[in-house]
Amino acid sequence: MARPQRIYVCQSCGAVAPRWAGRCDSCGEWNTITEEQPDTAGVGGGPQKGSGGAKGRKIELVSMAGESAEPPRLKSGIDEFDRVLGGGLVAGSAILIGGDPGIGKSTLLLQAMAAFGKSKAEVVYISGEEAIAQVRMRARRLGLADAPVALGAETNLKDILATLSEGKPPAAVVIDSIQTMWTDTLESAPGTVGQVRACSQELVRFAKRHGTAIILVGHVTKDGQIAGPRVVEHMVDTVVYFEGERGHQFRILRAVKNRFGPGNEIGVFEMGELGLSEVPNPSALFIGERDGESSGSAVFAGIEGTRPVLVEIQALVAQSSLGTPRRAVVGWDSGRLSMVLAVLDARCGLSLGGQDVYLNVAGGLRINEPAADLAVAGALVSSITGNALPSDCVIFGEIALSGSVRPVSQMEARLKEAEKLGFKRAILPASTARQRPSTGLKLTEIEDLGGLIAKLAAEPSKAGGGKR
Ligand code: TYD
Ligand code: MG
């Protein structure tokens, strides 16, 4: 019998090589190449060899009692969760939920499964990381001990699939986490690209065939990618990330890909003693911690998914003692910050070459919108001059490389949210009379970045000079 052929797969980028090497030619990472069997590690799926043979053994599912129902879209009743999925869980869909360890993925999914269970859907929670006793203990702490969720603690995929295939297929299954699952068609260890890919493939196939919604939990590596292959992201219908800063109680569930709903939708939760609770009005929370009027702070009126969200942007500009000054950013793109700094320098003569710049989006939110440019510039200029922006003022607008300020989408929704939260003024891009949003706020239109600087210099706030 011929010796089975071997291939070598990079655990970082998934590139395949014929022989082992210390460094991956594709992505340049060191020590990421491991040996795998070619047949199932091969791209594209196809019938899997070696999966015939012995039938999987039945694993024990612990009953929490309950009946079943099968609507095409399952709603958990946790609005923030349902909305991110595009209005509930679609039968037969596959969802990947990624996030740092300890951020609350298991907690969220246990709560969501309990909610599904209570609405009479048959749901299964398979933990590959925790023992039944641990999951039960967590459920008890969350007050969900009597929720009708079937629990299983198992990592052998064949056994799990054999169990799920028996009788009526469940409406939803959580696999926590995909990195702990393994299939005996591959010799490589759980968590390797080959295993993660093969297991995901089988689970997705199961979801499609039986109409069961499968939720895969995926851990995220230090550099923010789902550990193992990105290919899992392509296999599933929906990819959501659960993010947040440790030390902050806010958690944000963000859809980055969704075949069944709008992308980039967010849901906001708060982690407390009794698990995660919904935050139906995140703006109030994100700006709720502001300490009055101080320089270096600006309230950005943003749009996340379909919702307007107000969030505080804080900047600090300080004399640098380093040869290369520091640029530290939390919650925003550092490349975008460099651009705003370059425009301030080249178009407005405001050079920060010798100064450290710190930028922070309060509350642990991550902003991707270019509309935040003007708010960032406002916070920076305010920190430099020591003049605070009025505390009842929101600001938004996109900055072009020429220094001009461009209109952004959904201005009216942004202003409406600001008005709802008691703001009185807004600094926004200049627009034609036809585009001009109708609002009760006092508007200050800015045509270019120079205009913003002039405005901040002309109206030094009485309470200004707070933190510098
Ligand atoms: P967990 O859901 O285990 O995270 P993940 O599955 O993403 O690794 O979350 C664990 C963290 O959440 C842990 O640090 C404790 C915290 N936590 C609470 O603050 N309150 C709670 O009610 C629960 C269950 C967890
Ligand atoms: Mg977990």
Side-chain angles (χ1 to χ4, degrees), residues 303-339:
I303 299 279
E304 289 290 341
T306 54
R307 260 197 317 187
V309 173
L310 300 192
V311 53
E312 184 192 1
I313 292 181
Q314 305 162 345
L316 179 67
V317 178
Q319 201 58 42
S320 180
S321 56
L322 305 168
T324 311
R326 290 188 68 131
R327 303 278 180 257
V329 190
V330 178
W332 208 47
D333 179 23
S334 56
R336 200 86 201 169
L337 172 65
S338 305
M339 190 211 82

PDB file of all heavy atoms in Angstrom, residues 303-339:
ATOM      1  N   ILE A 303     -23.281  56.735  12.317  1.00  0.00           N
ATOM      2  CA  ILE A 303     -24.293  55.746  11.933  1.00  0.00           C
ATOM      3  C   ILE A 303     -23.623  54.374  11.995  1.00  0.00           C
ATOM      4  O   ILE A 303     -22.583  54.158  11.385  1.00  0.00           O
ATOM      5  CB  ILE A 303     -24.787  55.980  10.487  1.00  0.00           C
ATOM      6  CG1 ILE A 303     -25.433  57.348  10.316  1.00  0.00           C
ATOM      7  CG2 ILE A 303     -25.729  54.859  10.053  1.00  0.00           C
ATOM      8  CD1 ILE A 303     -26.863  57.465  10.758  1.00  0.00           C
ATOM      9  N   GLU A 304     -24.197  53.486  12.769  1.00  0.00           N
ATOM     10  CA  GLU A 304     -23.683  52.115  12.815  1.00  0.00           C
ATOM     11  C   GLU A 304     -24.764  51.204  12.267  1.00  0.00           C
ATOM     12  O   GLU A 304     -25.812  51.055  12.878  1.00  0.00           O
ATOM     13  CB  GLU A 304     -23.321  51.717  14.237  1.00  0.00           C
ATOM     14  CG  GLU A 304     -22.089  52.410  14.800  1.00  0.00           C
ATOM     15  CD  GLU A 304     -20.798  51.928  14.128  1.00  0.00           C
ATOM     16  OE1 GLU A 304     -20.798  50.850  13.521  1.00  0.00           O
ATOM     17  OE2 GLU A 304     -19.794  52.651  14.217  1.00  0.00           O
ATOM     18  N   GLY A 305     -24.493  50.599  11.120  1.00  0.00           N
ATOM     19  CA  GLY A 305     -25.510  49.758  10.498  1.00  0.00           C
ATOM     20  C   GLY A 305     -26.676  50.632  10.093  1.00  0.00           C
ATOM     21  O   GLY A 305     -26.543  51.530   9.273  1.00  0.00           O
ATOM     22  N   THR A 306     -27.831  50.380  10.702  1.00  0.00           N
ATOM     23  CA  THR A 306     -29.004  51.169  10.342  1.00  0.00           C
ATOM     24  C   THR A 306     -29.335  52.191  11.418  1.00  0.00           C
ATOM     25  O   THR A 306     -30.347  52.867  11.331  1.00  0.00           O
ATOM     26  CB  THR A 306     -30.227  50.247  10.163  1.00  0.00           C
ATOM     27  OG1 THR A 306     -30.367  49.470  11.358  1.00  0.00           O
ATOM     28  CG2 THR A 306     -30.062  49.315   8.995  1.00  0.00           C
ATOM     29  N   ARG A 307     -28.475  52.274  12.421  1.00  0.00           N
ATOM     30  CA  ARG A 307     -28.831  53.097  13.566  1.00  0.00           C
ATOM     31  C   ARG A 307     -27.898  54.274  13.793  1.00  0.00           C
ATOM     32  O   ARG A 307     -26.682  54.118  13.689  1.00  0.00           O
ATOM     33  CB  ARG A 307     -28.757  52.232  14.822  1.00  0.00           C
ATOM     34  CG  ARG A 307     -30.078  51.754  15.273  1.00  0.00           C
ATOM     35  CD  ARG A 307     -30.043  51.289  16.669  1.00  0.00           C
ATOM     36  NE  ARG A 307     -28.872  50.473  16.980  1.00  0.00           N
ATOM     37  CZ  ARG A 307     -28.726  49.860  18.133  1.00  0.00           C
ATOM     38  NH1 ARG A 307     -29.634  49.950  19.042  1.00  0.00           N
ATOM     39  NH2 ARG A 307     -27.654  49.144  18.368  1.00  0.00           N
ATOM     40  N   PRO A 308     -28.419  55.444  14.145  1.00  0.00           N
ATOM     41  CA  PRO A 308     -27.521  56.529  14.541  1.00  0.00           C
ATOM     42  C   PRO A 308     -27.001  56.288  15.958  1.00  0.00           C
ATOM     43  O   PRO A 308     -27.746  55.824  16.820  1.00  0.00           O
ATOM     44  CB  PRO A 308     -28.422  57.762  14.503  1.00  0.00           C
ATOM     45  CG  PRO A 308     -29.807  57.253  14.621  1.00  0.00           C
ATOM     46  CD  PRO A 308     -29.836  55.842  14.138  1.00  0.00           C
ATOM     47  N   VAL A 309     -25.732  56.580  16.173  1.00  0.00           N
ATOM     48  CA  VAL A 309     -25.114  56.386  17.479  1.00  0.00           C
ATOM     49  C   VAL A 309     -24.225  57.588  17.778  1.00  0.00           C
ATOM     50  O   VAL A 309     -23.395  57.960  16.956  1.00  0.00           O
ATOM     51  CB  VAL A 309     -24.246  55.104  17.488  1.00  0.00           C
ATOM     52  CG1 VAL A 309     -23.478  54.999  18.794  1.00  0.00           C
ATOM     53  CG2 VAL A 309     -25.086  53.860  17.292  1.00  0.00           C
ATOM     54  N   LEU A 310     -24.418  58.180  18.937  1.00  0.00           N
ATOM     55  CA  LEU A 310     -23.537  59.275  19.335  1.00  0.00           C
ATOM     56  C   LEU A 310     -22.419  58.713  20.189  1.00  0.00           C
ATOM     57  O   LEU A 310     -22.647  57.873  21.052  1.00  0.00           O
ATOM     58  CB  LEU A 310     -24.288  60.323  20.162  1.00  0.00           C
ATOM     59  CG  LEU A 310     -25.482  61.015  19.519  1.00  0.00           C
ATOM     60  CD1 LEU A 310     -25.902  62.197  20.374  1.00  0.00           C
ATOM     61  CD2 LEU A 310     -25.163  61.484  18.111  1.00  0.00           C
ATOM     62  N   VAL A 311     -21.210  59.185  19.942  1.00  0.00           N
ATOM     63  CA  VAL A 311     -20.093  58.644  20.700  1.00  0.00           C
ATOM     64  C   VAL A 311     -19.042  59.730  20.900  1.00  0.00           C
ATOM     65  O   VAL A 311     -18.845  60.587  20.040  1.00  0.00           O
ATOM     66  CB  VAL A 311     -19.520  57.376  19.997  1.00  0.00           C
ATOM     67  CG1 VAL A 311     -19.179  57.650  18.571  1.00  0.00           C
ATOM     68  CG2 VAL A 311     -18.313  56.822  20.714  1.00  0.00           C
ATOM     69  N   GLU A 312     -18.407  59.690  22.066  1.00  0.00           N
ATOM     70  CA  GLU A 312     -17.419  60.717  22.372  1.00  0.00           C
ATOM     71  C   GLU A 312     -16.047  60.326  21.827  1.00  0.00           C
ATOM     72  O   GLU A 312     -15.606  59.186  21.988  1.00  0.00           O
ATOM     73  CB  GLU A 312     -17.319  60.899  23.894  1.00  0.00           C
ATOM     74  CG  GLU A 312     -16.381  62.023  24.266  1.00  0.00           C
ATOM     75  CD  GLU A 312     -16.030  62.030  25.748  1.00  0.00           C
ATOM     76  OE1 GLU A 312     -16.508  61.153  26.487  1.00  0.00           O
ATOM     77  OE2 GLU A 312     -15.250  62.912  26.134  1.00  0.00           O
ATOM     78  N   ILE A 313     -15.405  61.288  21.182  1.00  0.00           N
ATOM     79  CA  ILE A 313     -14.040  61.063  20.705  1.00  0.00           C
ATOM     80  C   ILE A 313     -13.118  61.955  21.530  1.00  0.00           C
ATOM     81  O   ILE A 313     -13.355  63.156  21.665  1.00  0.00           O
ATOM     82  CB  ILE A 313     -13.942  61.372  19.202  1.00  0.00           C
ATOM     83  CG1 ILE A 313     -14.747  60.316  18.447  1.00  0.00           C
ATOM     84  CG2 ILE A 313     -12.492  61.394  18.742  1.00  0.00           C
ATOM     85  CD1 ILE A 313     -14.736  60.439  16.972  1.00  0.00           C
ATOM     86  N   GLN A 314     -12.091  61.336  22.096  1.00  0.00           N
ATOM     87  CA  GLN A 314     -11.168  62.085  22.947  1.00  0.00           C
ATOM     88  C   GLN A 314      -9.795  62.123  22.300  1.00  0.00           C
ATOM     89  O   GLN A 314      -9.328  61.114  21.779  1.00  0.00           O
ATOM     90  CB  GLN A 314     -11.030  61.399  24.316  1.00  0.00           C
ATOM     91  CG  GLN A 314     -12.339  61.185  25.028  1.00  0.00           C
ATOM     92  CD  GLN A 314     -12.248  60.145  26.129  1.00  0.00           C
ATOM     93  OE1 GLN A 314     -11.284  59.388  26.201  1.00  0.00           O
ATOM     94  NE2 GLN A 314     -13.261  60.110  26.972  1.00  0.00           N
ATOM     95  N   ALA A 315      -9.169  63.295  22.339  1.00  0.00           N
ATOM     96  CA  ALA A 315      -7.811  63.424  21.813  1.00  0.00           C
ATOM     97  C   ALA A 315      -6.940  64.114  22.834  1.00  0.00           C
ATOM     98  O   ALA A 315      -7.408  64.943  23.610  1.00  0.00           O
ATOM     99  CB  ALA A 315      -7.829  64.222  20.516  1.00  0.00           C
ATOM    100  N   LEU A 316      -5.684  63.730  22.834  1.00  0.00           N
ATOM    101  CA  LEU A 316      -4.727  64.407  23.686  1.00  0.00           C
ATOM    102  C   LEU A 316      -3.459  64.634  22.871  1.00  0.00           C
ATOM    103  O   LEU A 316      -2.908  63.695  22.287  1.00  0.00           O
ATOM    104  CB  LEU A 316      -4.419  63.562  24.927  1.00  0.00           C
ATOM    105  CG  LEU A 316      -3.404  64.170  25.886  1.00  0.00           C
ATOM    106  CD1 LEU A 316      -3.958  65.430  26.531  1.00  0.00           C
ATOM    107  CD2 LEU A 316      -3.019  63.170  26.969  1.00  0.00           C
ATOM    108  N   VAL A 317      -3.042  65.877  22.793  1.00  0.00           N
ATOM    109  CA  VAL A 317      -1.812  66.216  22.082  1.00  0.00           C
ATOM    110  C   VAL A 317      -0.831  66.714  23.129  1.00  0.00           C
ATOM    111  O   VAL A 317      -1.136  67.636  23.873  1.00  0.00           O
ATOM    112  CB  VAL A 317      -2.084  67.306  21.027  1.00  0.00           C
ATOM    113  CG1 VAL A 317      -0.791  67.697  20.321  1.00  0.00           C
ATOM    114  CG2 VAL A 317      -3.111  66.815  20.024  1.00  0.00           C
ATOM    115  N   ALA A 318       0.304  66.058  23.213  1.00  0.00           N
ATOM    116  CA  ALA A 318       1.264  66.428  24.258  1.00  0.00           C
ATOM    117  C   ALA A 318       2.664  66.503  23.668  1.00  0.00           C
ATOM    118  O   ALA A 318       2.975  65.789  22.709  1.00  0.00           O
ATOM    119  CB  ALA A 318       1.220  65.405  25.386  1.00  0.00           C
ATOM    120  N   GLN A 319       3.501  67.362  24.248  1.00  0.00           N
ATOM    121  CA  GLN A 319       4.884  67.479  23.797  1.00  0.00           C
ATOM    122  C   GLN A 319       5.562  66.119  23.884  1.00  0.00           C
ATOM    123  O   GLN A 319       5.438  65.429  24.882  1.00  0.00           O
ATOM    124  CB  GLN A 319       5.617  68.493  24.693  1.00  0.00           C
ATOM    125  CG  GLN A 319       6.864  69.078  24.064  1.00  0.00           C
ATOM    126  CD  GLN A 319       6.574  69.779  22.732  1.00  0.00           C
ATOM    127  OE1 GLN A 319       5.584  70.485  22.610  1.00  0.00           O
ATOM    128  NE2 GLN A 319       7.407  69.529  21.735  1.00  0.00           N
ATOM    129  N   SER A 320       6.280  65.740  22.830  1.00  0.00           N
ATOM    130  CA  SER A 320       6.902  64.418  22.833  1.00  0.00           C
ATOM    131  C   SER A 320       8.348  64.482  23.307  1.00  0.00           C
ATOM    132  O   SER A 320       9.063  65.437  23.012  1.00  0.00           O
ATOM    133  CB  SER A 320       6.867  63.830  21.427  1.00  0.00           C
ATOM    134  OG  SER A 320       7.463  62.561  21.435  1.00  0.00           O
ATOM    135  N   SER A 321       8.727  63.457  24.038  1.00  0.00           N
ATOM    136  CA  SER A 321      10.135  63.384  24.443  1.00  0.00           C
ATOM    137  C   SER A 321      10.865  62.358  23.590  1.00  0.00           C
ATOM    138  O   SER A 321      12.021  62.062  23.807  1.00  0.00           O
ATOM    139  CB  SER A 321      10.218  63.003  25.915  1.00  0.00           C
ATOM    140  OG  SER A 321       9.517  61.795  26.106  1.00  0.00           O
ATOM    141  N   LEU A 322      10.154  61.813  22.623  1.00  0.00           N
ATOM    142  CA  LEU A 322      10.744  60.763  21.783  1.00  0.00           C
ATOM    143  C   LEU A 322      11.176  61.329  20.439  1.00  0.00           C
ATOM    144  O   LEU A 322      10.633  62.331  19.974  1.00  0.00           O
ATOM    145  CB  LEU A 322       9.718  59.657  21.534  1.00  0.00           C
ATOM    146  CG  LEU A 322       9.097  59.015  22.772  1.00  0.00           C
ATOM    147  CD1 LEU A 322       7.910  58.166  22.387  1.00  0.00           C
ATOM    148  CD2 LEU A 322      10.132  58.179  23.502  1.00  0.00           C
ATOM    149  N   GLY A 323      12.140  60.661  19.814  1.00  0.00           N
ATOM    150  CA  GLY A 323      12.585  61.053  18.474  1.00  0.00           C
ATOM    151  C   GLY A 323      11.443  60.955  17.486  1.00  0.00           C
ATOM    152  O   GLY A 323      11.173  61.875  16.718  1.00  0.00           O
ATOM    153  N   THR A 324      10.755  59.801  17.535  1.00  0.00           N
ATOM    154  CA  THR A 324       9.560  59.621  16.712  1.00  0.00           C
ATOM    155  C   THR A 324       8.360  59.718  17.637  1.00  0.00           C
ATOM    156  O   THR A 324       8.171  58.859  18.489  1.00  0.00           O
ATOM    157  CB  THR A 324       9.571  58.224  16.059  1.00  0.00           C
ATOM    158  OG1 THR A 324      10.849  58.020  15.468  1.00  0.00           O
ATOM    159  CG2 THR A 324       8.481  58.094  15.029  1.00  0.00           C
ATOM    160  N   PRO A 325       7.560  60.750  17.490  1.00  0.00           N
ATOM    161  CA  PRO A 325       6.449  60.918  18.427  1.00  0.00           C
ATOM    162  C   PRO A 325       5.444  59.780  18.343  1.00  0.00           C
ATOM    163  O   PRO A 325       5.317  59.136  17.309  1.00  0.00           O
ATOM    164  CB  PRO A 325       5.812  62.241  18.002  1.00  0.00           C
ATOM    165  CG  PRO A 325       6.583  62.763  16.875  1.00  0.00           C
ATOM    166  CD  PRO A 325       7.626  61.794  16.474  1.00  0.00           C
ATOM    167  N   ARG A 326       4.748  59.545  19.423  1.00  0.00           N
ATOM    168  CA  ARG A 326       3.786  58.437  19.482  1.00  0.00           C
ATOM    169  C   ARG A 326       2.465  58.808  18.837  1.00  0.00           C
ATOM    170  O   ARG A 326       2.003  59.935  18.933  1.00  0.00           O
ATOM    171  CB  ARG A 326       3.503  58.079  20.940  1.00  0.00           C
ATOM    172  CG  ARG A 326       4.629  57.431  21.648  1.00  0.00           C
ATOM    173  CD  ARG A 326       4.117  56.973  22.981  1.00  0.00           C
ATOM    174  NE  ARG A 326       3.169  55.891  22.769  1.00  0.00           N
ATOM    175  CZ  ARG A 326       3.219  54.739  23.428  1.00  0.00           C
ATOM    176  NH1 ARG A 326       4.151  54.549  24.321  1.00  0.00           N
ATOM    177  NH2 ARG A 326       2.345  53.803  23.193  1.00  0.00           N
ATOM    178  N   ARG A 327       1.881  57.829  18.218  1.00  0.00           N
ATOM    179  CA  ARG A 327       0.519  57.964  17.690  1.00  0.00           C
ATOM    180  C   ARG A 327      -0.252  56.767  18.213  1.00  0.00           C
ATOM    181  O   ARG A 327      -0.094  55.658  17.698  1.00  0.00           O
ATOM    182  CB  ARG A 327       0.535  57.899  16.150  1.00  0.00           C
ATOM    183  CG  ARG A 327       1.425  58.945  15.485  1.00  0.00           C
ATOM    184  CD  ARG A 327       0.693  60.264  15.380  1.00  0.00           C
ATOM    185  NE  ARG A 327       1.468  61.321  14.750  1.00  0.00           N
ATOM    186  CZ  ARG A 327       2.063  62.304  15.433  1.00  0.00           C
ATOM    187  NH1 ARG A 327       2.033  62.316  16.757  1.00  0.00           N
ATOM    188  NH2 ARG A 327       2.689  63.273  14.813  1.00  0.00           N
ATOM    189  N   ALA A 328      -1.025  56.949  19.245  1.00  0.00           N
ATOM    190  CA  ALA A 328      -1.762  55.815  19.818  1.00  0.00           C
ATOM    191  C   ALA A 328      -3.254  56.006  19.590  1.00  0.00           C
ATOM    192  O   ALA A 328      -3.808  57.050  19.917  1.00  0.00           O
ATOM    193  CB  ALA A 328      -1.454  55.695  21.307  1.00  0.00           C
ATOM    194  N   VAL A 329      -3.889  54.979  18.995  1.00  0.00           N
ATOM    195  CA  VAL A 329      -5.304  55.095  18.641  1.00  0.00           C
ATOM    196  C   VAL A 329      -6.078  53.907  19.199  1.00  0.00           C
ATOM    197  O   VAL A 329      -5.664  52.770  19.028  1.00  0.00           O
ATOM    198  CB  VAL A 329      -5.493  55.087  17.107  1.00  0.00           C
ATOM    199  CG1 VAL A 329      -6.922  55.440  16.746  1.00  0.00           C
ATOM    200  CG2 VAL A 329      -4.530  56.049  16.443  1.00  0.00           C
ATOM    201  N   VAL A 330      -7.182  54.182  19.857  1.00  0.00           N
ATOM    202  CA  VAL A 330      -8.083  53.105  20.281  1.00  0.00           C
ATOM    203  C   VAL A 330      -9.452  53.352  19.658  1.00  0.00           C
ATOM    204  O   VAL A 330     -10.037  54.412  19.849  1.00  0.00           O
ATOM    205  CB  VAL A 330      -8.213  53.062  21.821  1.00  0.00           C
ATOM    206  CG1 VAL A 330      -9.183  51.974  22.248  1.00  0.00           C
ATOM    207  CG2 VAL A 330      -6.860  52.861  22.473  1.00  0.00           C
ATOM    208  N   GLY A 331      -9.924  52.375  18.884  1.00  0.00           N
ATOM    209  CA  GLY A 331     -11.283  52.468  18.337  1.00  0.00           C
ATOM    210  C   GLY A 331     -11.400  53.162  16.988  1.00  0.00           C
ATOM    211  O   GLY A 331     -12.495  53.343  16.478  1.00  0.00           O
ATOM    212  N   TRP A 332     -10.256  53.544  16.402  1.00  0.00           N
ATOM    213  CA  TRP A 332     -10.318  54.163  15.076  1.00  0.00           C
ATOM    214  C   TRP A 332      -9.127  53.685  14.273  1.00  0.00           C
ATOM    215  O   TRP A 332      -8.177  53.132  14.818  1.00  0.00           O
ATOM    216  CB  TRP A 332     -10.321  55.694  15.196  1.00  0.00           C
ATOM    217  CG  TRP A 332     -11.012  56.384  14.070  1.00  0.00           C
ATOM    218  CD1 TRP A 332     -12.223  56.072  13.551  1.00  0.00           C
ATOM    219  CD2 TRP A 332     -10.530  57.507  13.322  1.00  0.00           C
ATOM    220  NE1 TRP A 332     -12.534  56.941  12.536  1.00  0.00           N
ATOM    221  CE2 TRP A 332     -11.519  57.835  12.374  1.00  0.00           C
ATOM    222  CE3 TRP A 332      -9.364  58.281  13.366  1.00  0.00           C
ATOM    223  CZ2 TRP A 332     -11.382  58.878  11.476  1.00  0.00           C
ATOM    224  CZ3 TRP A 332      -9.244  59.330  12.477  1.00  0.00           C
ATOM    225  CH2 TRP A 332     -10.241  59.629  11.532  1.00  0.00           C
ATOM    226  N   ASP A 333      -9.141  53.959  12.980  1.00  0.00           N
ATOM    227  CA  ASP A 333      -8.078  53.508  12.099  1.00  0.00           C
ATOM    228  C   ASP A 333      -6.875  54.445  12.210  1.00  0.00           C
ATOM    229  O   ASP A 333      -7.010  55.653  12.025  1.00  0.00           O
ATOM    230  CB  ASP A 333      -8.649  53.503  10.679  1.00  0.00           C
ATOM    231  CG  ASP A 333      -7.622  53.070   9.666  1.00  0.00           C
ATOM    232  OD1 ASP A 333      -6.670  52.382  10.078  1.00  0.00           O
ATOM    233  OD2 ASP A 333      -7.764  53.414   8.483  1.00  0.00           O
ATOM    234  N   SER A 334      -5.705  53.890  12.496  1.00  0.00           N
ATOM    235  CA  SER A 334      -4.538  54.759  12.697  1.00  0.00           C
ATOM    236  C   SER A 334      -4.091  55.405  11.386  1.00  0.00           C
ATOM    237  O   SER A 334      -3.550  56.506  11.382  1.00  0.00           O
ATOM    238  CB  SER A 334      -3.396  53.983  13.343  1.00  0.00           C
ATOM    239  OG  SER A 334      -3.090  52.867  12.563  1.00  0.00           O
ATOM    240  N   GLY A 335      -4.348  54.732  10.259  1.00  0.00           N
ATOM    241  CA  GLY A 335      -4.022  55.325   8.961  1.00  0.00           C
ATOM    242  C   GLY A 335      -4.862  56.569   8.706  1.00  0.00           C
ATOM    243  O   GLY A 335      -4.393  57.582   8.176  1.00  0.00           O
ATOM    244  N   ARG A 336      -6.111  56.483   9.118  1.00  0.00           N
ATOM    245  CA  ARG A 336      -7.035  57.607   8.953  1.00  0.00           C
ATOM    246  C   ARG A 336      -6.591  58.793   9.827  1.00  0.00           C
ATOM    247  O   ARG A 336      -6.690  59.934   9.427  1.00  0.00           O
ATOM    248  CB  ARG A 336      -8.418  57.112   9.358  1.00  0.00           C
ATOM    249  CG  ARG A 336      -9.567  57.901   8.837  1.00  0.00           C
ATOM    250  CD  ARG A 336     -10.024  57.493   7.466  1.00  0.00           C
ATOM    251  NE  ARG A 336     -10.766  58.611   6.891  1.00  0.00           N
ATOM    252  CZ  ARG A 336     -11.130  58.694   5.630  1.00  0.00           C
ATOM    253  NH1 ARG A 336     -10.828  57.743   4.787  1.00  0.00           N
ATOM    254  NH2 ARG A 336     -11.783  59.757   5.197  1.00  0.00           N
ATOM    255  N   LEU A 337      -6.088  58.474  11.031  1.00  0.00           N
ATOM    256  CA  LEU A 337      -5.584  59.544  11.902  1.00  0.00           C
ATOM    257  C   LEU A 337      -4.392  60.235  11.244  1.00  0.00           C
ATOM    258  O   LEU A 337      -4.298  61.463  11.238  1.00  0.00           O
ATOM    259  CB  LEU A 337      -5.168  58.991  13.269  1.00  0.00           C
ATOM    260  CG  LEU A 337      -4.455  59.991  14.187  1.00  0.00           C
ATOM    261  CD1 LEU A 337      -5.397  61.129  14.583  1.00  0.00           C
ATOM    262  CD2 LEU A 337      -3.893  59.327  15.435  1.00  0.00           C
ATOM    263  N   SER A 338      -3.480  59.440  10.674  1.00  0.00           N
ATOM    264  CA  SER A 338      -2.319  60.019  10.003  1.00  0.00           C
ATOM    265  C   SER A 338      -2.779  60.971   8.904  1.00  0.00           C
ATOM    266  O   SER A 338      -2.184  62.029   8.702  1.00  0.00           O
ATOM    267  CB  SER A 338      -1.451  58.928   9.383  1.00  0.00           C
ATOM    268  OG  SER A 338      -1.090  58.002  10.356  1.00  0.00           O
ATOM    269  N   MET A 339      -3.831  60.561   8.198  1.00  0.00           N
ATOM    270  CA  MET A 339      -4.329  61.408   7.110  1.00  0.00           C
ATOM    271  C   MET A 339      -4.849  62.748   7.649  1.00  0.00           C
ATOM    272  O   MET A 339      -4.504  63.806   7.126  1.00  0.00           O
ATOM    273  CB  MET A 339      -5.437  60.679   6.347  1.00  0.00           C
ATOM    274  CG  MET A 339      -5.846  61.361   5.083  1.00  0.00           C
ATOM    275  SD  MET A 339      -7.584  61.079   4.699  1.00  0.00           S
ATOM    276  CE  MET A 339      -8.375  62.282   5.723  1.00  0.00           C
TER     277      MET A 339
END
